[in-house]
Amino acid sequence: MKRICISEFMDPAAVQALTPGFDVRYEPGWVDQRPALLDALPEADALIVRNRTQVDAALLERSPALRVVGRLGVGLDNIDVGACRERGIQVIPAVGANARSVAEYVVTTAAMLLRGAYLASEQVAAGAWPRARLSEGREALGKTLGLIGYGDIGRQTAALAQAFGMQVVAYDPMLSPDDPVWASTGATCVSLETLLEQSDAVSLHVPLVAATRHLIEVGRLAAMKSGAVLINTARGGVVDESALADALRAGHLAGAALDVFEAEPLSAGSPLAGVPNLLLTPHIGGVTREANARVSMLIARQVRQALEEQA
Ligand code: NAD
């Protein structure tokens, strides 16, 4: 019987769906117990991971029977895709299954940051009344949202932002200015410079690759509109965290939200500690009850199909 190892959390119904016909080893703690995971892999035909299990050369070396890697999400930066290709291992991401969750996160967070009114709960509960200071918030209506990367998540985010009355501009060097997607989605194709100059809120939706590492660094933060807000749900390495901390402390940016970080969890002494007007979430942009069920079931179905086709 073929063995499927699952090293991070997966919706129970999807784990159940894999069980008939396969030897399923579901150990969501393996992601933090690498030796135990490596011990289980010599017999594994398939491995299912989220974004924290490093599917690197050392892991692949311990997995001679591996034919399929299922990814419960979309970024592939934790998987050595080239090495998998060379070994004939099929890598299956859950394309599209969590995009809505990320898009809702971005648009609600952009509105919260522009409004600037939600970070004083402790003061209000303690009897303070910072009404004058918090009466300077802005509406989303008529503001410009700049999307860096205009793929699946970028487009779903654009649609929600437009429902709020926002203008959407986007930068994506892989899409030509003639691509029909611009007209069909109502977003304006712009250069990165124009996007930074025009946007009241900037949101990142690119993969982490060499060209996007520290795409948002000190110079590009300085090029953003004064009082703009930044949201990163893409990958931590895309934003220079120290430079962002400086831009927030200096008041150049009115706020930022980060869901992804250069090191996850954050290391002691992170430059982000104690920074004002900064919302931090632990890489949950694409993880909701609904998205988890969709992502898990999609991967269960596709991993089953891939293994059955190879039988
Ligand atoms: P996608 O592949 O549909 O879109 C990515 C877009 O980025 C593509 O259109 C591509 O042309 C563009 N791109 C590539 N290089 C670029 C560059 N240098 N500058 C600008 N654009 C560039 O992917 P997606 O589903 O929209 O996801 C985007 C990213 O979001 C993923 O790679 C992943 O890292 C991240 N993500 C995070 C979460 C979360 O929980 N926080 C969940 C899902 C996805």
Side-chain angles (χ1 to χ4, degrees):
M1 194 182 274
K2 288 189 174 172
R3 178 181 290 186
I4 302 172
C5 290
I6 306 168
S7 63
E8 299 186 55
F9 75 92
M10 187 170 183
D11 194 55
V15 177
Q16 202 58 44
L18 278 171
T19 307
F22 293 109
D23 169 18
V24 177
R25 305 290 168 99
Y26 177 49
E27 294 290 344
W30 269 342
V31 61
D32 295 313
Q33 300 154 7
R34 190 154 159 108
L37 170 62
L38 293 182
D39 282 347
L41 285 175
E43 312 280 305
D45 298 279
L47 171 65
I48 297 180
V49 302
R50 282 188 179 266
N51 66 309
R52 292 179 55 230
T53 304
Q54 297 304 313
V55 183
D56 52 18
L59 183 147
L60 293 173
E61 202 172 306
R62 294 287 294 272
S63 321
L66 198 65
R67 291 290 163 268
V68 180
V69 174
R71 163 74 173 96
L72 296 162
V74 284
L76 294 178
D77 42 290
N78 58 317
I79 298 175
D80 187 338
V81 178
C84 287
R85 198 181 307 119
E86 273 171 31
R87 282 258 318 265
I89 297 170
Q90 193 179 344
V91 177
I92 305 177
V95 175
N98 60 8
R100 172 73 192 204
S101 293
V102 181
E104 287 191 13
Y105 175 110
V106 172
V107 174
T108 52
T109 303
M112 274 177 73
L113 290 172
L114 287 168
R115 189 67 184 255
Y118 302 97
L119 290 169
S121 303
E122 278 183 33
Q123 292 164 46
V124 174
W129 202 244
R131 191 166 187 237
R133 181 167 63 79
L134 299 182
S135 298
E136 294 294 312
R138 290 162 288 170
E139 294 179 346
L141 180 67
K143 300 297 179 301
T144 298
L145 173 65
L147 300 170
I148 301 180
Y150 201 53
D152 196 21
I153 296 174
R155 293 171 203 190
Q156 293 212 31
T157 304
L160 295 182
Q162 285 159 344
F164 256 175
M166 299 184 87
Q167 315 292 326
V168 178
V169 299
Y171 163 70
D172 191 319
M174 317 296 168
L175 288 175
S176 102
D178 307 328
D179 195 293
V181 74
W182 301 113
S184 67
T185 61
T188 306
C189 169
V190 293
S191 67
L192 183 54
E193 290 65 35
T194 303
L195 183 147
L196 296 173
E197 196 183 292
Q198 292 187 348
S199 300
D200 301 287
V202 172
S203 185
L204 294 157
H205 301 291
V206 291
L208 177 61
V209 291
T212 59
R213 188 168 289 281
H214 282 196
L215 183 70
I216 300 299
E217 40 64 88
V218 64
R220 296 212 167 101
L221 287 165
M224 284 174 67
K225 250 186 183 179
S226 176
V229 304
L230 177 74
I231 300 166
N232 185 15
T233 58
R235 280 294 178 268
V238 179
V239 173
D240 178 340
E241 293 174 355
S242 297
L244 174 64
D246 291 345
L248 287 164
R249 285 191 202 280
H252 174 55
L253 296 189
L258 301 178
D259 184 50
V260 287
F261 304 91
E262 299 203 30
E264 296 180 5
L266 279 70
S267 25
S270 161
L272 300 172
V275 172
N277 302 318
L278 177 62
L279 298 173
L280 305 179
T281 50
H283 202 145
I284 46 68
V287 191
T288 54
R289 291 180 192 189
E290 294 84 355
N292 188 33
R294 281 194 302 267
V295 161
S296 297
M297 207 45 98
L298 179 80
I299 290 303
R301 262 201 310 273
Q302 294 197 358
V303 167
R304 168 176 286 283
Q305 190 182 343
L307 288 176
E308 284 172 354
E309 277 169 7
Q310 288 170 6

